[in-house]
Amino acid sequence: MIATTGSARADAIDGAWCSENGQRLAIDGPSVTTTRGLKLSGDYTRHSFSFILPQNEQDVGSPVEMVLQGETRVRITIGKSAAQIWHRCPPGTS
């Protein structure tokens, strides 16, 4: 049997996500690492993730809603701001 770890997460929201302006966050099951490197828990499903921005983050207290839009795109809405499309970060992006 051949295992393919790369495609196992292709249809899940888990992984590193990058914005057009260089921000990055990462989801690993019910955990998220925010754009400023804070680790916290959120509400996880295979195709969505949500959490409240903690102190030390821009827009503290705002809800963040993420919905997978395909293998490489996620729609992110922060508070009442317009939704943004982020993409999977290229391999090796930290």
Side-chain angles (χ1 to χ4, degrees), residues 28-44:
D28 184 13
S31 299
V32 63
T33 302
T34 67
T35 57
R36 293 195 177 163
L38 301 173
K39 293 183 182 191
L40 54 127
S41 296
D43 295 321
Y44 171 86

Side-chain angles (χ1 to χ4, degrees), residues 4 7-8 10 20-22 25 27 29-30 34-35 38-40 56 58 67 69 76 78 83 88 90:
T4 55
S7 64
E20 288 183 11
N21 66 357
L25 59 81
I27 298 172
T34 67
T35 57
L38 301 173
K39 293 183 182 191
L40 54 127
N56 299 327
Q58 185 175 340
V67 179
Q69 301 292 293
I76 298 179
I78 301 171
R88 286 207 186 268

Side-chain angles (χ1 to χ4, degrees), residues 65-82:
E65 302 288 334
M66 303 174 67
V67 179
L68 196 63
Q69 301 292 293
E71 277 187 37
T72 62
R73 296 168 26 114
V74 66
R75 184 183 73 232
I76 298 179
T77 306
I78 301 171
K80 295 183 180 190
S81 298

